[in-house]
Amino acid sequence: MLLRRIIARSLLQTGVFAALLFGPAGTLHWPRAWIFFGVLAVASVWMIAALYPKHKAILEERLKPPFQSGQPPLDKILVGILLVTLLGATAFIPLDVFHFHLLPAPPFAVSLLGLALFLFGGWLVYRTLVENSFAALAVRHQGRQRVIDTGVYSVVRHPMYAGASLFCLGMALWLGSTAATIAMLAPILSLAIRSIFEERFLRRELDGYADYTRRVRWRLVPGVW
């Protein structure tokens, strides 16, 4: 049952991305988009196979909705802003590529770098899920929650947000829109703001988190912030 739900959720998310990209494009003749979906499909199957069944708990957690009971009202607002900006920036990619042409397209080498960033971002998300079975979609205290400071959490305090940021930037670069790459800074900024709120919550609710923030200085980008 869990595996069927995971597959169904993955197909739904892929369908949403397909609608956001091919709908505004007005055409299915977009080779880079098809390559993107091919890479996404392979990466998704690999991730599910790597996490199931050993990490069932985190897979079940990720199936929960983004708005949950017990979630602070401010976090619901921040999640709403994140979803709106992410969906909007994603739909803006085909609008710019096929209609607006606001800025020159990135060189092919830069677009390839974008594909590499997309894959690396996905790997960071995977490593986050392996390390932290408490990586919930909503900010809330979980009964047996403890501070995780191993693996990717020893480098940055929010590796999932870092991975998602690379995913967003890489997608826009690979699909060929410089303007949309800039637009992706909106959901990334939303993640950055949410990380600040989340840390305030965890400092208050989770024993040892304040000490962890002193040991690991960087939130999203090592050496920067």
Side-chain angles (χ1 to χ4, degrees), residues 10 15 58 66 81 83 101 111 116-117 153 162 164 173-174 179-180 184 188:
S10 297
I58 190 59
I81 293 172
L83 291 175
H101 312 292
S111 290
L117 289 176
Y153 280 92
L173 283 173
W174 167 248
M184 282 296 177
I188 292 173

Side-chain angles (χ1 to χ4, degrees), residues 25-92:
T27 179
L28 295 176
H29 184 65
W30 192 2
R32 287 199 190 185
W34 286 110
I35 293 173
F36 167 79
F37 282 114
V39 172
L40 181 63
V42 171
S44 297
V45 170
W46 175 83
M47 185 179 294
I48 292 170
L51 292 172
Y52 185 90
K54 184 178 179 180
H55 300 281
K56 275 184 167 184
I58 190 59
L59 289 173
E60 290 178 340
E61 184 64 45
R62 304 307 295 180
L63 287 173
K64 294 180 180 178
F67 303 101
Q68 301 176 21
S69 174
Q71 182 180 5
L74 179 56
D75 189 52
K76 292 182 179 180
I77 295 172
L78 293 174
V79 170
I81 293 172
L82 171 62
L83 291 175
V84 169
T85 54
L86 175 59
L87 295 177
T90 301
F92 180 65

